[in-house]
Amino acid sequence: VQLQASGGGSVQPGSSLRLSCAASGSGFTFDYFAIGWFRQAPGKEREGVSCIPNSGDLTHNVDSVKGRFTISRDNAKKTVYLHMNSLKPEDTAVYYCAAQRAISCSLQKEFYLYWGQGTLVTVSS
């Protein structure tokens, strides 16, 4: 399973961005996989931001992004999106997506086997 994260950029506080995580690879069924978004700021641990189970319901978000970030998936496109609104400077980080064949999802990085490369989000005035 290969994951490609994209959509990062440099924006001002209060702006919005949409990150995409596209999955590819032979012999795997995307519908079976839970997906998580993580971020890592300089000098900090990687933290779970949002996750979505294979069914697409019962998503989870870390408290710091509740009400601002929304995760969704399009199984036909094998893509998961992270919609980020009202961005704050503290959201600045490299964002990673991760996948695990599972029904439920988790905000714990140890849960996931497959990882994509990161995409940088910078929020600054």
Side-chain angles (χ1 to χ4, degrees):
V1 178
Q2 289 85 46
L3 302 173
Q4 180 77 36
S6 62
S10 183
V11 298
Q12 294 187 336
S15 299
S16 298
L17 278 176
R18 188 185 74 168
L19 304 185
S20 298
C21 176
S24 63
S26 61
F28 89 101
T29 303
F30 183 71
D31 302 32
Y32 295 167
F33 283 76
I35 305 293
W37 279 101
F38 293 77
R39 65 185 179 187
Q40 189 165 18
K44 293 189 175 182
E45 293 284 323
R46 189 171 299 190
E47 68 164 346
V49 175
S50 188
C51 73
I52 188 166
N54 68 333
S55 64
D57 59 1
L58 294 177
T59 61
H60 299 285
N61 294 293
V62 69
D63 286 346
S64 59
V65 307
K66 284 181 179 177
R68 301 189 297 123
F69 290 12
T70 302
I71 190 171
S72 64
R73 66 189 293 156
D74 184 336
N75 285 347
K77 295 183 178 180
K78 298 182 181 179
T79 301
V80 169
Y81 304 99
L82 185 66
H83 308 264
M84 306 188 296
N85 298 318
S86 302
L87 283 162
K88 304 176 180 180
E90 50 264 44
D91 295 319
T92 295
V94 177
Y95 284 71
Y96 301 86
C97 60
Q100 177 62 40
R101 179 170 174 150
I103 295 174
S104 60
C105 71
S106 171
L107 294 180
Q108 300 298 315
K109 58 184 182 294
E110 294 78 12
F111 179 82
Y112 297 91
L113 179 60
Y114 304 100
W115 288 83
Q117 91 301 343
T119 184
L120 177 63
V121 173
T122 303
V123 184
S124 173
S125 55

